[in-house]
Amino acid sequence: MSKEPVQMEQIVSLCKRRGFIFQSSEIYGGYNGFWDYGPYGVRMKRAIEQLWWNFMVETRTNVEGLDSTVICHPKVWKASGHIDQFSDEMTDCKDCKNRHRVDQMEDPTTCPACGSKNLTEPREFNLMMKTYVGPIFDEDHVAYLRAETCQPIFVDFHQVRVASRQKLPFGIAQIGKAFRNEITPRNFTFRSREFSQMEMEFFCEDENAMEWYEYWRDQRLKYYSEELQFTADDIRTHDHDKLAHYAKAAMDIEFKFPFGWGELEGIHHRGTWDMDQHQEFSGQDLQYMDHDNQRKVTPTVIETSVGVDRTFLAVLCKAYDDEEIKEGESRLVLRIPAKIAPVQAAVLPLSKKLSEPAEKLFADVGKYFRSEFDVTGSIGKRYRRQDEIGTPFCITYDFDSAEDDAVTVRNRDTMEQDRVNVTELRAYLDKKING
RNA sequence: GCGAGUGUAGCUCAGUUGGUAGAGCAUCACGUUGCCAACGUGAUUGUCGACGGUUCGAAUCCGUUCACUCGCUCCA
């Protein structure tokens, strides 16, 4: 059953039509690089975040959570290198139209691509979003929106450690918004200017760092295969040969998007770079006292950093299936894993006459699963509507239901139905959805 | 940001040499239907991306701008 590879336009169109994602500020013509999650989108986005949180935090004793502010003391970004490193001088060649980083050019007056000297004045491109804190808008009150969620984790390391009574090795995880003035937002939500990250910084001793690096790489790959059901065709890893200034080892987990391979997650061995920087800039002692060995160590950091919006997009691309049912008839179905589907169970009365008892059933199902009630249109029509938003189970209340206290549960992928007693419905769905 | 392309109802698109907008799907109502896009009748929807100009008259011509797609660049 080979199918046409999905195109980005189809994903964008579906997202808009069914209320997953639409452009920010659309009535004003939109705003480049900003996207809103609609009713189904926010359900699935939160489910993805919850899935990651459960996997990374709730099911472990050695990872703690944090929810820090978007705006931090400006020195945080000075220490992290973002204010300097995120700021590139760029020049455009007026002849061959290529853009170059001035610091990477052998001769800043000559275009490396075509040799022309007809270049624009170097202009600074800083990716940090700037704002002011306090009512006075001058240079002394400049602040930045965080460009990544991990820096506040380093900054709060000691507070979290003391409060949670953790010893090395342990991790701190955070989900939240980050902001970057991307030069070119592109590929729908893949690269936007406001986005959500799910990051975990694992603090350990340097001797064991590579082992932890490998451990977290394996854990994260397990998450993609077992939790998100991505296969070897969807996912590949890519080891960095050129390392960033802070990294000792680094790899990406990439997903095969319609527009090509794109990074979902980065796993980095950051050494003691961040902790050293914050120690230096804050003047505070950020070392960890290892009482067992009577020594102080600066923790080494292993980072796992995921883009929520990218995960969301990957799930949709993978799930999208325009399936041919018979000659000339197809159904659009999103084969989203049940755990993160925006609607996990739709309650549908077979006929409008059955609305009242069906609504009672819906009230009960809705307590335990993300659910929806729909009475408009034929039953087949309503199944197709649910297929389109990836609802794994449709519960149909029919004319026998009052008699036998049972309903049919229709499976999205197989389109087959089970007759399930209402008293067993919760357990039935729970097993199918949560395993 | 630079270069190229695109921009008409929620979606996909039509709109002839400038004469103030249509189709299919979707949505909603009523009837019908009783488990996979049925059908019938009716209804809603657009300052033709935005602003400005030329013209008696602009979706159609010109300018600017915004957004999207592709390339350069960058990254979670």
Side-chain angles (χ1 to χ4, degrees):
Chain A
M1 197 179 74
S2 73
K3 56 177 179 179
E4 292 283 306
V6 61
Q7 301 294 307
M8 277 311 289
E9 302 88 77
Q10 297 175 283
I11 299 288
V12 175
S13 169
L14 178 74
C15 281
K16 187 177 184 190
R17 187 157 43 87
R18 296 313 309 267
F20 281 89
I21 299 173
F22 21 74
Q23 262 194 297
S24 167
S25 314
E26 210 223 10
I27 63 168
Y28 290 101
Y31 205 36
N32 196 0
F34 297 91
W35 302 92
D36 292 342
Y37 285 80
Y40 293 129
V42 64
R43 284 179 150 189
M44 187 161 113
K45 187 182 179 208
R46 287 189 178 180
I48 289 171
E49 291 173 349
Q50 193 58 51
L51 183 72
W52 183 89
W53 193 259
N54 283 342
F55 185 89
M56 296 297 286
V57 182
E58 301 295 354
T59 55
R60 299 171 194 273
T61 57
N62 61 349
V63 178
E64 302 290 343
L66 178 70
D67 185 4
S68 77
T69 57
V70 165
I71 294 173
C72 302
H73 196 291
K75 277 190 181 169
V76 169
W77 306 106
K78 194 75 189 159
S80 70
H82 280 82
I83 291 173
D84 301 322
Q85 304 280 345
F86 255 45
S87 175
D88 297 325
E89 293 258 292
M90 307 283 281
T91 182
D92 293 304
C93 174
K94 291 176 186 169
D95 291 326
C96 71
K97 310 298 182 194
N98 280 311
R99 165 170 296 171
H100 307 283
R101 276 173 62 169
V102 175
D103 63 323
Q104 289 178 349
M105 294 163 74
E106 272 183 36
D107 174 6
T109 63
T110 308
C111 174
C114 69
S116 166
K117 291 193 179 288
N118 191 14
L119 303 173
T120 60
E121 280 294 302
R123 280 169 296 188
E124 189 179 309
F125 284 73
N126 194 303
L127 298 188
M128 294 283 285
M129 294 251 192
K130 208 173 186 178
T131 186
Y132 299 89
V133 170
I136 299 165
F137 283 22
D138 63 19
E139 282 305 302
D140 293 338
H141 296 83
V142 167
Y144 299 90
L145 308 192
R146 66 185 177 200
E148 54 186 27
T149 55
C150 65
Q151 291 302 326
I153 293 179
F154 302 132
V155 172
D156 287 356
F157 168 74
H158 268 312
Q159 298 199 87
V160 173
R161 182 188 61 77
V162 170
S164 61
R165 302 176 4 256
Q166 288 281 3
K167 290 180 181 174
L168 245 48
F170 76 99
I172 303 174
Q174 158 151 262
I175 298 174
K177 287 286 181 85
F179 303 82
R180 292 184 192 177
N181 267 318
E182 292 292 346
I183 298 167
T184 312
R186 198 53 69 85
N187 289 325
F188 198 29
T189 55
F190 184 78
R191 182 180 299 122
S192 50
R193 290 182 165 139
E194 173 173 343
F195 56 98
S196 295
Q197 289 185 310
M198 307 189 283
E199 296 196 297
M200 192 279 304
E201 309 299 320
F202 197 76
F203 300 88
C204 60
E205 293 180 46
D206 201 53
E207 302 90 277
N208 311 320
M210 276 316 289
E211 277 169 54
W212 283 113
Y213 175 78
E214 282 157 22
Y215 170 81
W216 284 112
R217 177 197 61 199
D218 294 345
Q219 285 290 300
R220 295 307 302 152
L221 288 170
K222 185 179 163 206
Y223 163 90
Y224 286 108
S225 63
E226 291 180 11
E227 302 289 335
L228 292 182
Q229 295 162 25
F230 290 161
T231 66
D233 290 337
D234 306 316
I235 286 282
R236 74 177 185 192
T237 59
H238 172 245
D239 290 307
H240 291 206
D241 11 295
K242 271 197 282 180
L243 295 172
H245 58 280
Y246 53 76
K248 292 241 174 90
M251 63 167 303
D252 295 337
I253 298 173
E254 300 179 332
F255 180 85
K256 194 176 188 177
F257 287 100
F259 50 80
W261 290 96
E263 183 184 348
L264 285 183
E265 172 156 2
I267 298 167
H268 305 126
H269 179 327
R270 299 178 70 112
T272 59
W273 197 86
D274 303 281
M275 298 306 277
D276 287 337
Q277 287 293 110
H278 287 299
Q279 191 152 254
E280 183 189 331
F281 278 75
S282 69
Q284 302 277 314
D285 182 2
L286 298 182
Q287 294 180 98
Y288 169 79
M289 183 62 209
D290 175 4
H291 288 284
D292 296 342
N293 297 302
Q294 286 302 308
R295 61 168 188 171
K296 278 182 140 184
V297 293
T298 301
T300 289
V301 171
I302 305 298
E303 169 185 87
T304 71
S305 173
V306 196
V308 177
D309 312 84
R310 289 181 175 190
T311 304
F312 187 108
L313 192 57
V315 166
L316 279 190
C317 291
K318 159 103 177 152
Y320 192 99
D321 185 13
D322 205 350
E323 179 191 53
E324 188 167 56
I325 294 185
K326 50 192 176 206
E327 273 303 305
E329 190 190 327
S330 63
R331 67 166 182 148
L332 182 54
V333 51
L334 295 187
R335 303 187 190 279
I336 300 170
K339 260 189 201 176
I340 57 171
V343 176
Q344 297 173 304
V347 178
L348 314 171
L350 188 59
S351 156
K352 276 178 195 167
K353 296 168 193 136
L354 298 165
S355 290
E356 204 176 309
E359 257 180 292
K360 279 185 186 142
L361 179 66
F362 165 70
D364 196 44
V365 171
K367 285 181 200 161
Y368 308 108
F369 306 97
R370 286 187 296 279
S371 45
E372 188 168 272
F373 181 79
D374 189 10
V375 69
T376 308
S378 73
I379 190 69
K381 181 86 179 171
R382 283 177 278 158
Y383 285 151
R384 296 299 168 86
R385 270 194 205 124
Q386 295 300 328
D387 287 340
E388 227 178 47
I389 60 165
T391 305
F393 301 104
C394 288
I395 301 161
T396 306
Y397 190 98
D398 61 28
F399 287 95
D400 298 328
S401 296
E403 296 290 323
D404 63 0
D405 201 31
V407 290
T408 57
V409 179
R410 179 261 197 186
N411 184 296
R412 175 194 67 199
D413 297 324
T414 63
M415 296 170 76
E416 283 166 2
Q417 294 175 311
D418 280 345
R419 190 83 186 163
V420 180
N421 195 283
V422 170
T423 55
E424 290 156 17
L425 186 60
R426 183 182 166 191
Y428 175 94
L429 290 173
D430 190 59
K431 185 158 182 261
K432 297 263 186 188
I433 291 170
N434 299 313

